[in-house]
């Protein structure tokens, strides 16, 4: 079982930037696509971005397109979302997750989850 640990969350003013990190344990990190999700109070967990196992393919939710960039370093078993031009509506707990072999883009398609890191954007 892969274990995932997020870091890098915090409080930032609108228009600012944050770079989150997700470190994975286990030897098979490079074989799996990784995703970032977020969940705001009272809302469902939603996908933010997904990156393929080799980093060549990326998906972004429309709400973050052009502002967020996802990357990964398989040598370090780490995936990074760079979040720029942050807005108050980006406030949420951000989770990284490892996608199972069947693919898909919903939370149920991801088999391992981190504990989450809080991102708060003040106006």
């Amino acid at each position: 079982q892969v274990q995932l640990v997020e870091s890098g969350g915090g409080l930032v003013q609108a228009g600012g930037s944050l770079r989150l990190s997700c470190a994975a344990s286990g030897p098979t990190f490079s074989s799996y696509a990784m995703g970032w999700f977020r969940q705001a109070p009272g809302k469902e967990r939603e996908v933010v971005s997904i990156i393929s196992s080799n980093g060549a393919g990326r998906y972004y939710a429309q709400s973050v397109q052009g502002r967020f960039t996802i990357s990964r370093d398989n040598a370090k078993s780490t995936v990074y979302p760079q979040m720029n031009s942050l807005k108050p509506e980006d406030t949420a707990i951000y989770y990284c997750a490892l996608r199972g072999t069947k693919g898909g883009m919903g939370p149920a398609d991801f088999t391992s989850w981190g504990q989450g890191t809080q991102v708060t954007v003040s106006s």
Side-chain angles (χ1 to χ4, degrees):
Q1 181 90 14
V2 174
Q3 292 189 330
L4 305 173
V5 179
E6 302 98 333
S7 61
L11 174 64
V12 63
Q13 289 188 334
S17 298
L18 279 175
R19 188 191 195 208
L20 306 182
S21 296
C22 174
S25 64
T28 59
F29 173 81
S30 61
S31 299
Y32 295 95
M34 296 295 296
W36 281 89
F37 291 77
R38 67 186 181 187
Q39 188 165 19
K43 295 188 177 181
E44 293 186 353
R45 191 169 297 189
E46 63 176 0
V47 63
V48 173
S49 184
I50 299 171
I51 187 167
S52 63
S53 59
N54 64 2
R58 294 175 176 88
Y59 164 84
Y60 298 98
Q62 188 173 4
S63 59
V64 306
Q65 183 79 40
R67 300 188 297 121
F68 289 16
T69 303
I70 191 169
S71 61
R72 66 189 294 163
D73 184 338
N74 283 342
K76 296 181 179 180
S77 297
T78 305
V79 59
Y80 309 95
Q82 174 68 44
M83 308 187 297
N84 298 328
S85 302
L86 284 162
K87 304 176 181 180
E89 50 264 43
D90 293 319
T91 295
I93 299 175
Y94 283 72
Y95 300 89
C96 73
L98 181 146
R99 190 166 71 180
T101 56
K102 295 181 178 180
M105 296 175 61
D109 299 309
F110 288 74
T111 57
S112 296
W113 292 83
Q115 82 288 351
T117 186
Q118 177 71 47
V119 172
T120 302
V121 185
S122 63
S123 57

